[in-house]
Amino acid sequence: MDARGALAVVMTIGCKYHSNFASARASAGSIIGGEEAIGNGQAGLFDRIDWFEQLHKTCLGDHQPLIFEARNALNQSAWLFLMQKGSAIFSLANYYSFWWRPIWTGNPDEHSKAALIGSILPMLKSHGPKLWLAPAPVEGGIAKLLSHALRTAGFVVDCQVSSHNHWLETQGRSFADWWALRPGALRSTVQRKSKKNMVALNVSDQFSDADWDDYEAVYRDSWKPEEGYTDFLRSWAEQEAAAGRLRLGIARIAGQPVAAQFWSCDNGVAYIHKLAHVAGHDALSPGTLLSHAMFCQAFDVDKVARIDFGTGDDGYKRDWTEQSEALMTIRAWNPRRLAAWPSLTRHYASRLAARAQGR
């Protein structure tokens, strides 16, 4: 077989559509499951079918799942976990998701990734005239790859920054070495408030009803908005604890919980999912002291490679992290579908109005 024939074999791609998770699991086997999938192109929590299925079941069950699979002759594959909302298609994600991106298996190169995604898009077009993908990371070229594939497939595409992701790479450093590089005001706060010895800190990898009740009490009394899906978080924390991945931090003053943080450590990454503190205790900085303890645990005990602060561009995150990239919302319309035009017209009319006001 000559080189052209070999390339044709490699680029032969089969596509499937799944309307439920049972069908997707049956097709995928173990390649997009749990621990056995790690190292096969799925970096962590938000790249696994387990995550998508639990999120859909508990938080997004009103929307029909749309799961697309493309596989080439080398058994490399791409999966898009999406959902239908009316006539529009959305990424299967919500505010608990640090990112949304395709799942890759078989470690395809960039050319193969583009070919796999491109093969899915004609099938996707038949399910709706509009497509909303978010939060799509700039990191790793994901947003660029998706936008290019959509334009190549004939979509009208608009890609806008909607949030940011902050993280740090530990690079084999000790916590002490990394902490020495933090802003002086932050280090001084921890040093001064620790000397008062009035905040009791506890970081646990075990789930207990008492600790979780304390976490929920802190969150309810904090500045944070009401939690949307408390049952989801609780069951998720129990699941993470059973797998040895939970890191739940509680700060108490005189026995009362005043700050709490929910992390997980998964495949060398520490994810900061939730943090909150109760107002009125700023003089003792319990939230800052708890963060100090949680980061120390991640560096020196869990020895993670990355600590990920999730979505949001809050100023305090810059004190604790070293890297940042934008998260994008990709909007795409199929101009061959008349149903796309009202939304497309409204979108670009609003963009033009915003530009006019900014002059």
Side-chain angles (χ1 to χ4, degrees):
M1 183 182 297
D2 61 17
R4 183 179 299 176
L7 180 60
V9 170
V10 171
M11 296 313 296
T12 300
I13 298 174
C15 298
K16 295 180 181 179
Y17 154 68
H18 306 281
S19 62
N20 59 76
F21 285 91
S23 173
R25 285 186 180 277
S27 182
S30 63
I31 62 172
I32 56 170
E35 296 299 324
E36 67 273 18
I38 294 175
N40 193 27
Q42 296 152 72
L45 170 65
F46 307 106
D47 294 316
R48 298 188 197 138
I49 193 171
D50 296 342
W51 164 259
F52 289 109
E53 185 168 21
Q54 187 174 359
L55 186 69
H56 178 263
K57 178 181 178 181
T58 312
C59 306
L60 302 169
D62 292 340
H63 309 299
Q64 172 66 38
L66 301 175
I67 305 169
F68 295 91
E69 167 194 3
R71 194 184 303 260
N72 65 22
L74 294 180
N75 206 30
Q76 298 169 330
S77 67
W79 294 74
L80 298 181
F81 283 81
L82 305 165
M83 59 184 176
Q84 189 102 35
K85 293 184 181 180
S87 64
I89 299 171
F90 288 77
S91 49
L92 207 166
N94 72 356
Y95 43 77
Y96 295 129
S97 307
F98 283 25
W99 63 75
W100 180 93
R101 61 191 181 190
I103 292 179
W104 314 105
T105 76
N107 297 314
D109 59 21
E110 294 305 306
H111 182 76
S112 297
K113 287 179 179 179
L116 288 163
I117 294 298
S119 70
I120 289 174
L121 295 180
M123 185 189 308
L124 187 152
K125 281 183 175 180
S126 67
H127 289 270
K130 300 175 291 184
L131 179 64
W132 265 234
L133 302 178
V138 168
E139 185 187 6
I142 300 299
K144 181 178 179 181
L145 183 152
L146 290 169
S147 297
H148 179 74
L150 287 162
R151 290 189 177 99
T152 301
F155 285 86
V156 176
V157 179
D158 180 75
C159 190
Q160 298 290 323
V161 175
S162 53
S163 188
H164 284 80
N165 176 219
H166 291 267
W167 76 93
L168 70 92
E169 308 289 343
T170 59
Q171 301 174 336
R173 293 172 290 181
S174 68
F175 174 75
D177 289 341
W178 170 81
W179 183 246
L181 301 176
R182 295 307 89 213
L186 179 63
R187 290 185 286 112
S188 176
T189 294
V190 170
Q191 183 179 31
R192 288 183 292 105
K193 302 307 170 67
S194 295
K195 287 181 179 179
K196 296 179 182 293
N197 201 30
M198 295 180 66
V199 180
L201 304 171
N202 182 63
V203 180
S204 177
D205 60 3
Q206 303 296 311
F207 183 91
S208 77
D209 289 333
D211 283 347
W212 192 256
D213 288 346
D214 282 349
Y215 161 80
E216 290 189 333
V218 169
Y219 200 89
R220 283 194 305 270
D221 292 339
S222 73
W223 77 99
K224 295 294 184 77
E226 182 178 354
E227 186 62 70
Y229 300 94
T230 55
D231 291 344
F232 171 73
L233 285 182
R234 190 182 195 102
S235 63
W236 178 20
E238 290 176 326
Q239 174 183 300
E240 295 299 282
R245 297 190 291 254
L246 176 67
R247 303 295 181 268
L248 185 63
I250 307 291
R252 297 178 175 88
I253 296 176
Q256 296 299 310
V258 293
Q261 298 190 17
F262 171 21
W263 293 33
S264 65
C265 285
D266 190 345
N267 192 29
V269 180
Y271 299 98
I272 307 175
H273 301 291
K274 292 284 182 176
L275 74 170
H277 66 266
V278 178
H281 302 281
D282 293 351
L284 295 175
S285 300
T288 301
L289 294 181
L290 183 57
S291 291
H292 181 268
M294 299 290 283
F295 274 80
C296 183
Q297 164 90 20
F299 267 91
D300 291 349
V301 180
D302 296 315
K303 298 186 182 301
V304 299
R306 176 178 175 131
I307 301 175
D308 197 319
F309 228 131
T311 61
D313 204 24
D314 309 271
Y316 68 85
K317 293 183 178 182
R318 298 184 183 90
D319 290 343
W320 296 91
T321 58
E322 297 171 340
Q323 288 86 28
S324 176
E325 285 281 10
L327 294 166
M328 314 298 290
T329 292
I330 301 172
R331 297 178 175 89
W333 295 263
N334 179 2
R336 294 182 179 272
R337 299 279 298 272
L338 289 177
W341 279 94
S343 171
L344 181 59
T345 301
R346 287 194 301 272
H347 176 77
Y348 280 96
S350 66
R351 290 281 303 277
L352 289 172
R355 288 179 183 176
Q357 289 178 356
R359 290 177 181 172

